[in-house]
Amino acid sequence: MKTEKESLSHNMAIDKKAHNNEISEILVRYDAVLQQNERLEAEIEKLKNQTLQIDDSVKSSYQSSLNILKSNISTLTKETDTKSTQLETLNSILKLKQQDFENNKREIEKLNAKINQLELEITASPDSKAEKRKLKASNVSAVGIRMVSEKILETKKTKNTEQIKVCFTLGENTAIEKGAKEIFIQIINPKANIVSKNKASVEIKNKTLFYSAKTSVNYEKDDVDVCVFIEAGKQHLIKGNYNINIFSGANLIGNTNLLLL
């Protein structure tokens, strides 16, 4: 029994020692876990602080952006209101202009109607019909000329002028009958004398027409160009401005001027 008791005591001592070693090991591990937990709690706290700082920064940035956006929206709203007002004003002006245009258009239409009526009345009048049956001379020109070795030379000097060349175009007119048309050319010098080598005149409708030269033109209702060379009496040639008139019968159908130096 004594031996068993000693053996049991020895075993108990060994078990106690092993148990104490296990407890020491557990305590060491517990302390390590506590230290690790403390580190984790410190890191968690640090992360919390960083999260709060970031959150504050995000909130501040968001609020700033929101304020800018609100300001831009307010500005755009004001600009839109201003443009809307301007648009309404322009629309009002446009309506007034359109009304004025319509009124003016009606007035113009009335005036055109009156003009057309007057044109019809003029066209229907005997004077108008008679006027349409008159010849017209256009492109009237006159130059002084002299002959040198059978060559015709133009001149502006009175002392060198031997003849006066007068050219013109009888215009197309379907209201005039075809045939020979007698044309009279009248040249009046600065002293109101008829320039001609021999005095000539004709009685037309109880009037006397003094002329410098006459010619007969075969008229075919189309444009026809005419040139006449008129002998100038030296006694009638003086420096100054000459009036050249073209007559068909008693009707003045064209004229021009000639300056001789």
Side-chain angles (χ1 to χ4, degrees):
M1 290 179 66
K2 184 178 179 180
T3 301
E4 290 178 356
K5 182 178 178 181
E6 288 176 354
S7 177
L8 181 62
S9 295
H10 177 73
N11 289 336
M12 287 179 64
I14 292 172
D15 291 338
K16 184 178 180 181
K17 186 177 180 180
H19 182 66
N20 288 334
N21 291 335
E22 289 177 356
I23 291 173
S24 297
E25 187 177 352
I26 290 171
L27 290 174
V28 171
R29 290 180 179 177
Y30 178 74
D31 290 339
V33 169
L34 285 177
Q35 291 177 0
Q36 186 177 4
N37 286 339
E38 288 176 356
R39 286 197 302 272
L40 289 174
E41 286 178 356
E43 290 179 2
I44 289 170
E45 189 67 24
K46 184 178 178 180
L47 289 173
K48 284 183 179 179
N49 292 332
Q50 290 178 352
T51 302
L52 289 174
Q53 290 176 357
I54 292 171
D55 186 53
D56 292 339
S57 176
V58 169
K59 285 182 179 179
S60 176
S61 177
Y62 171 76
Q63 188 64 40
S64 177
S65 299
L66 184 62
N67 291 336
I68 293 172
L69 182 60
K70 287 181 178 179
S71 176
N72 290 337
I73 290 172
S74 177
T75 302
L76 288 173
T77 302
K78 290 180 181 179
E79 290 179 355
T80 301
D81 293 339
T82 302
K83 289 180 179 179
S84 297
T85 304
Q86 291 176 349
L87 181 61
E88 290 176 359
T89 302
L90 290 174
N91 282 330
S92 300
I93 294 172
L94 179 61
K95 288 180 180 178
L96 291 174
K97 293 293 183 183
Q98 287 176 339
Q99 187 64 40
D100 291 340
F101 173 76
E102 292 297 330
N103 293 336
N104 291 333
K105 186 178 178 181
R106 285 192 288 271
E107 291 295 326
I108 291 171
E109 288 175 351
K110 290 179 182 178
L111 289 173
N112 284 333
K114 289 182 180 179
I115 290 170
N116 292 333
Q117 182 63 31
L118 288 172
E119 287 178 347
L120 290 174
E121 291 176 0
I122 291 171
T123 303
S125 66
D127 292 340
S128 176
K129 291 179 180 179
E131 188 68 26
K132 283 186 176 181
R133 289 194 294 268
K134 290 182 181 179
L135 284 169
K136 297 291 182 183
S138 60
N139 304 321
V140 183
S141 64
V143 294
I145 63 170
R146 62 192 182 103
M147 302 297 295
V148 177
S149 300
E150 298 183 352
K151 290 183 180 180
I152 299 175
L153 302 178
E154 293 185 5
T155 179
K156 290 186 178 181
K157 293 186 177 181
T158 304
K159 64 179 181 179
N160 295 333
T161 301
E162 298 174 354
Q163 296 180 350
I164 295 176
K165 177 185 174 183
V166 179
C167 295
F168 54 91
T169 300
L170 291 180
E172 176 186 357
N173 192 333
T174 57
I176 299 176
E177 294 182 358
K178 294 181 180 181
K181 305 298 178 184
E182 198 168 41
I183 305 298
F184 299 93
I185 301 167
Q186 182 187 73
I187 303 174
I188 303 174
N189 71 8
K191 289 186 176 181
N193 294 320
I194 302 296
V195 176
S196 65
K197 192 172 183 179
N198 298 307
K199 276 191 176 181
S201 64
V202 61
E203 294 291 330
I204 303 174
K205 294 182 180 180
N206 298 322
K207 293 181 180 180
T208 302
L209 174 65
F210 293 93
Y211 60 89
S212 303
K214 68 177 180 177
T215 185
S216 181
V217 179
N218 185 26
Y219 188 70
E220 296 290 337
K221 296 189 177 184
D222 292 323
D223 289 349
V224 56
D225 295 325
V226 181
C227 282
V228 180
F229 293 83
I230 302 166
E231 292 286 343
K234 285 293 184 179
Q235 71 277 16
H236 295 143
L237 292 178
I238 58 176
K239 293 181 180 181
N241 195 40
Y242 291 70
N243 293 321
I244 290 87
N245 300 315
I246 312 296
F247 288 88
S248 174
N251 299 318
L252 178 65
I253 62 174
N255 66 320
T256 189
N257 294 316
L258 169 65
L259 178 63
L260 292 179
L261 305 175

